Amino acid sequence: MSVNDPFTEGLELGWKVTDGASLTENQTIEADVVVIGTGAGGGTSAEILARAGLSVILVEEGGLYHQKDFKMNELTAYASLYQDGMSRVTQDGAIAILQGRCVGGSTTVNWTSSFRTPDETLNYWANQLGMGDLTPDAMAPWFDGREQRHNIEPWAVDPNTNNDVLRQGCEQLGYAWQIIPRNVKGCWNLGYCGVGCPTNAKQGALTTTIPGALANDTTLIHRLRADRLVMNQDRIDHLLASAMSADGVSPSGVTVTLKARHFVVAASAIGSPGLLLRSDIPDPFNRIGKRSFLHPVNATTAIMPEKVEPYYGAPQSIYSDEFNFKEGVDGPAGFKLEVPPLHPAMSAGVIPHHGQKQIDAMTNLPWTQSTLALVRDGFHPDSPGGNVSLRGDGSPVLDYPISDYLWTGLRKAFGIMAELQFAAGARKVSFVHMDSDWYSSWAEASAALDKLPMEAHRVRLFTAHQMGGCGMGRHPENSVVSSFGEHHHVSNLSVHDASIFPTSIGANPQLSVYALAARNSSRLASKLTG
Amino acid sequence: MTQPSSCPDTPTDVAKLDRRSFLKTGLGGTLFLGAVSTTMTLTGCASSPSERLPAVGTRMDARYQFRFLTDTDIEIFEALLPAILGPSLPEQPQSRRLIIAHTIERMDAGITQFGPANQSELRRLLDLLGFSLTRITIARVWSSWPDVTTGEAEAFLQRWQNSSIGLFNNGYMALVKISNVAFYGHQDQWHLSGYPGPPQWAVEALPQFKNA
Ligand SMILES: Cc1cc2nc3c(=O)[nH]c(=O)nc-3n(C[C@H](O)[C@H](O)[C@H](O)COP(=O)(O)OP(=O)(O)OC[C@H]3O[C@@H](n4cnc5c(N)ncnc54)[C@H](O)[C@@H]3O)c2cc1C
Ligand code: SF4
């Protein structure tokens, strides 16, 4: 149970880390490669490129927070570690978007579930989308490598009650369930992964690849926002970036010009297409920002006879894929079943009520179990995803219409989740929906569900998995980058993050991002050093 | 900065628009009305953060400096919180007043991190509720906010929650979400949800909690 903090030690050793808010003069800096974004994709890329002997500058819009700052406090964490202080939503406000904005990106706040890209998804990319180089066999060594790097193993400790209810429900109903592999080392089983791991047990970018990069020839500048890639003829000449002021959100007026031979964009879905759109990167077929995916999430809550304490213990340790690919990879919308951790601020923000109804739900928190469904989007013609565009101030916004195809999947998921909770002994169950009551039997819940409107703003929807918008593919007519993340039109530009997925993943995405970024960075490193 | 008294309470051209045509969506669920804010800005009547003194004795050292919420916004939330939080608020007037004041300060602190785009969405929602013409015609709240009863606030929340217009549902979510998070999420209210806080043994074992 080591609690050595790699950042504190590294900073003492002289790691090159600059807080953009401390800059007082415009400046120009240069390296072999500039990597934009320090999350799953950016961290992996920086470490591999730096270990190959290249000089790297890592640019991060959010701040640097590490163990000293992680005090298991929701309000400070949501304000400092999440995009838009946790207020990010889709354009019409119907889907709440959870996304990281700090060194380590979403991996600093994610829940540590670590799945390989499902074979069904890789085979779909290979067979339907023509990317034969991404078959399960071809990707296996990259998953192996990343599982080692991030210490990914099935969780060996008993699941907390919140997760165990999902297991029990599956057992009762004869549905498949499995133990979730997690990227942790010496985990204290606390349950605060979503607000920054206080023990450094989580093996996200912040404790693995970013220290690995900084130990080599890498400079990290945080609170520096990449504004625009500037082209000179057919290549990117430099990146223009704005330093943030001490509040972390408003630009200070200081600009930094970053020059490099190659630029790796890893600002994630929404962020990466936003940067490419601001930069007027050649896009003859209007592909940038299109096909953005979310794994739209709906949830049910149950009051259990025993205490659940859903705020304690590894947040996710049990899942069920019973309904994920059952009706075919491109059939009706499939979904993966998991549970969310529930702390008071998160719960209060998710439950769509006020007054007595809100109080009743909050008072029962210690007995509350919640189940969620991650709906697999992007595999069916009726699920084309959303579209990222720019607001007047240049910030990206995602328009994500919810098709009837997805509503059908969401309604089915509501029913299955309630059924599972009753099978596990729930006293009463409620759909996270503006019009839902509490129901005391599966029959009652199911009858009520038939009448609940499946509509934006009535159903509370979430996403912690943003994907696509710079999709990979073989043809420039329908993709932005190649299956190696190389931009189709600009030779010194690559994209190494979740934005390159041509569909959603059908599983929590971090390991898919790590593995593809590792593969594509290794190739890039040999090109640049060759 | 205080608003010059010559500023109209409501921009005149807003009155000419029908209510659907100038509602625009956005944020957390927020809703809104570009016309009002824009006109107010152009006429030099843009609202500025409240310089209101916080509830006496709420802070040990410094007094809270509002960075986003205006005097009118604060009046709106002072009227809405008793309905949003309901019986979770204490009856005793002094502690009730303090908790409401603290919650509004925390909401302001949270909004500071929303970033410019979502802040301007929220500004439009609050302006819509704040200007008397739109308060009356769109939110259908007849009294000015300091005079709104808890019953009236409750009726307003229900109208927006149950409306068949998604924009109003969205505005409802925005208002209750920032209020509920700032209230139930804070240590002082953890007892209401039976949340014991981070495990004490871990707090004692971890270096970042030492000499704090
Ligand atoms: C609460 C939560 C829980 C999650 N749980 C899991 C889980 O259990 N398992 C799992 O597999 N996945 C989980 N995820 C998702 C997973 O973490 C992401 O899919 C993954 O990190 C995406 O990697 P990425 O490199 O695309 O982006 P990120 O890791 O998000 O990194 C992108 C970075 O780019 C920065 N950036 C954006 N724009 C700019 C700009 N203009 N200039 C500079 N920097 C910029 C951002 O601030 C951010 O730090 C979770 C996510 C969240 C939010
Ligand atoms: S459960 Fe606790 S110790 Fe383990 S990774 Fe999550 S936050 Fe860290």
Side-chain angles (χ1 to χ4, degrees):
Chain A
M1 288 203 193
S2 145
V3 287
N4 291 340
D5 183 43
F7 255 97
T8 307
E9 290 170 9
L11 289 171
E12 279 164 16
L13 285 172
W15 279 355
K16 290 175 280 179
V17 176
T18 301
D19 180 351
S22 70
L23 300 177
T24 51
E25 277 170 32
N26 296 352
Q27 48 205 276
T28 300
I29 47 176
E30 190 160 357
D32 291 324
V33 187
V34 166
V35 176
I36 300 152
T38 59
T44 304
S45 304
E47 178 177 44
I48 288 171
L49 295 166
R51 282 189 197 276
L54 296 156
S55 61
V56 174
I57 300 172
L58 258 173
V59 179
E60 170 58 53
E61 177 179 16
L64 169 62
Y65 301 91
H66 53 114
Q67 188 183 19
K68 68 176 176 48
D69 307 298
F70 297 152
K71 297 189 176 170
M72 302 187 265
N73 185 306
E74 283 186 280
L75 293 182
T76 38
Y78 298 154
S80 55
L81 307 176
Y82 283 78
Q83 290 288 350
D84 302 334
M86 200 65 145
S87 72
R88 186 168 270 197
V89 286
T90 50
Q91 191 159 32
D92 67 356
I95 308 180
I97 300 176
L98 280 63
Q99 195 169 21
R101 181 182 185 269
C102 53
V103 173
S106 300
T107 76
T108 298
V109 294
N110 80 16
W111 299 342
T112 71
S113 296
S114 305
F115 299 97
R116 293 183 174 207
T117 317
D119 286 358
E120 292 88 341
T121 302
L122 289 173
N123 287 327
Y124 181 87
W125 294 354
N127 301 330
Q128 259 95 326
L129 305 181
M131 285 175 281
D133 51 335
L134 297 179
T135 59
D137 280 350
M139 285 303 292
W142 297 104
F143 292 130
D144 288 340
R146 290 298 109 184
E147 282 165 355
Q148 275 185 20
R149 182 71 188 99
H150 297 277
N151 216 55
I152 294 169
E153 276 167 22
W155 181 232
V157 177
D158 285 342
N160 68 4
T161 309
N162 199 24
N163 279 275
D164 201 52
V165 168
L166 174 59
R167 184 193 64 80
Q168 289 174 40
C170 288
E171 282 287 313
Q172 290 295 322
L173 298 174
Y175 298 154
W177 62 271
Q178 236 87 50
I179 294 176
I180 295 183
R182 303 183 62 220
N183 60 321
V184 295
K185 194 186 260 177
C187 169
W188 292 23
N189 200 18
L190 293 174
Y192 291 82
C193 310
V195 293
C197 174
T199 68
N200 282 328
K202 187 200 284 183
Q203 300 294 293
L206 184 65
T207 51
T208 58
T209 52
I210 294 171
L214 289 169
N216 289 278
D217 191 2
T218 297
T219 302
L220 165 64
I221 314 180
H222 58 100
R223 294 208 271 195
L224 182 69
R225 183 180 66 208
D227 285 336
R228 213 152 52 81
L229 295 159
V230 179
M231 309 259 311
N232 181 6
Q233 294 180 333
D234 57 347
R235 289 172 61 82
I236 291 169
D237 183 70
H238 60 273
L239 167 69
L240 281 178
S242 292
M244 297 287 118
S245 41
D247 67 7
V249 284
S250 42
S252 67
V254 173
T255 59
V256 179
T257 302
L258 299 102
K259 292 182 155 276
R261 289 160 61 197
H262 201 94
F263 293 81
V264 173
V265 174
S268 203
I270 305 179
S272 291
L275 175 61
L276 267 50
L277 287 170
R278 282 197 299 276
S279 308
D280 281 323
I281 293 295
D283 186 22
F285 302 98
N286 272 321
R287 296 317 305 160
I288 298 173
K290 303 290 178 339
R291 292 186 63 79
S292 292
F293 302 109
L294 294 178
H295 284 156
V297 166
N298 62 343
T300 55
T301 50
I303 306 302
M304 303 304 294
E306 282 106 47
K307 267 199 170 176
V308 178
E309 303 190 307
Y311 29 77
Y312 292 149
Q316 299 195 308
S317 52
I318 302 289
Y319 72 99
S320 171
D321 266 350
E322 179 76 24
F323 302 95
N324 204 354
F325 294 99
K326 201 171 199 165
E327 299 183 78
V329 68
D330 52 3
F335 47 89
K336 190 179 192 77
L337 295 169
E338 295 173 353
V339 314
L342 293 178
H343 293 89
M346 175 76 86
S347 312
V350 163
I351 300 167
H353 304 298
H354 69 273
Q356 193 61 47
K357 238 181 148 177
Q358 191 77 1
I359 295 169
D360 292 344
M362 292 305 296
T363 318
N364 278 316
L365 187 61
W367 293 270
T368 303
Q369 195 274 346
S370 182
T371 302
L372 62 77
L374 300 165
V375 178
R376 202 159 47 74
D377 49 346
F379 293 84
H380 186 279
D382 292 339
S383 174
N387 182 26
V388 174
S389 62
L390 299 178
R391 298 187 182 101
D393 67 356
S395 63
V397 59
L398 172 63
D399 176 31
Y400 190 99
I402 305 158
S403 60
D404 287 342
Y405 168 88
L406 291 176
W407 286 125
T408 305
L410 288 160
R411 186 188 289 280
K412 179 173 176 193
F414 264 145
I416 301 280
M417 293 191 286
E419 185 186 20
L420 280 162
Q421 288 170 320
F422 282 116
R427 284 223 180 105
K428 46 183 190 166
V429 169
S430 180
F431 304 104
V432 183
H433 186 296
M434 289 247 219
D435 306 316
S436 178
D437 251 312
W438 287 94
Y439 309 105
S440 48
S441 71
W442 161 232
E444 200 194 332
S446 153
L449 176 59
D450 288 343
K451 299 205 182 71
L452 284 182
M454 289 297 121
E455 284 168 18
H457 308 296
R458 307 298 320 157
V459 182
R460 278 292 269 152
L461 293 171
F462 308 88
T463 168
H465 301 164
Q466 304 77 34
M467 298 156 285
C470 298
M472 57 180 167
R474 287 183 52 183
H475 307 292
E477 294 80 23
N478 51 28
S479 58
V480 176
V481 296
S482 75
S483 59
F484 281 101
E486 298 156 339
H487 192 266
H488 284 313
H489 309 286
V490 182
S491 60
N492 65 338
L493 171 63
S494 304
V495 185
H496 286 185
D497 61 22
S499 72
I500 70 172
F501 300 145
T503 63
S504 70
I505 295 290
N508 312 46
Q510 69 168 339
L511 179 51
S512 300
V513 181
Y514 292 138
L516 263 183
R519 167 184 181 269
N520 297 350
S521 300
S522 302
R523 164 136 156 166
L524 176 61
S526 54
K527 272 194 177 174
L528 292 176
T529 53
Chain B
M1 272 210 321
T2 37
Q3 275 185 210
S5 53
S6 61
C7 278
D9 189 35
T10 310
T12 45
D13 54 347
V14 170
K16 298 190 211 120
L17 301 169
D18 88 276
R19 63 177 210 191
R20 282 292 197 97
S21 72
F22 57 77
L23 283 174
K24 282 210 199 117
T25 51
L27 171 83
T30 319
L31 247 204
F32 312 82
L33 195 144
V36 173
S37 292
T38 314
T39 314
M40 293 308 278
T41 312
L42 292 176
T43 53
C45 296
S47 37
S48 56
S50 175
E51 300 199 1
R52 178 193 279 230
L53 283 174
V56 186
T58 55
R59 303 254 151 179
M60 302 289 278
D61 41 7
R63 64 189 177 92
Y64 184 77
Q65 179 72 53
F66 282 95
R67 279 170 288 175
F68 179 83
L69 295 176
T70 64
D71 288 338
T72 309
D73 302 338
I74 293 172
E75 287 168 5
I76 295 171
F77 283 111
E78 283 172 342
L80 291 178
L81 287 185
I84 294 176
L85 306 174
S88 282
L89 285 171
E91 295 276 342
Q92 204 275 323
Q94 171 70 358
S95 47
R96 186 181 177 89
R97 204 170 61 80
L98 280 182
I99 289 183
I100 290 178
H102 273 168
T103 304
I104 295 175
E105 288 172 13
R106 277 198 298 276
M107 287 162 59
D108 184 74
I111 294 165
T112 315
Q113 297 299 313
F114 279 15
N118 282 354
Q119 281 184 350
S120 66
E121 297 273 348
L122 186 57
R123 168 71 20 244
R124 278 183 235 140
L125 169 62
L126 293 172
D127 283 355
L128 180 151
L129 294 175
F131 295 121
S132 53
L133 178 69
T134 45
R135 187 194 73 229
I136 292 168
T137 55
I138 296 177
R140 301 196 351 248
V141 173
W142 310 117
S143 319
S144 60
W145 288 104
D147 301 326
V148 166
T149 63
T150 305
E152 287 164 353
E154 171 64 24
F156 158 71
L157 290 170
Q158 285 192 16
R159 272 197 304 280
W160 275 25
Q161 183 180 28
N162 300 327
S163 169
S164 58
I165 300 172
L167 293 169
F168 291 133
N169 305 157
N170 206 18
Y172 167 82
M173 257 331 292
L175 294 171
V176 302
K177 184 175 157 188
I178 49 178
S179 307
N180 282 328
V181 169
F183 180 75
Y184 291 102
H186 190 260
Q187 186 159 5
D188 290 351
Q189 275 79 42
W190 286 347
H191 66 278
L192 294 172
S193 56
Y195 170 59
Q200 196 53 38
W201 63 269
V203 169
E204 278 160 23
L206 286 164
Q208 62 267 45
F209 292 96
K210 303 261 155 70
N211 60 49

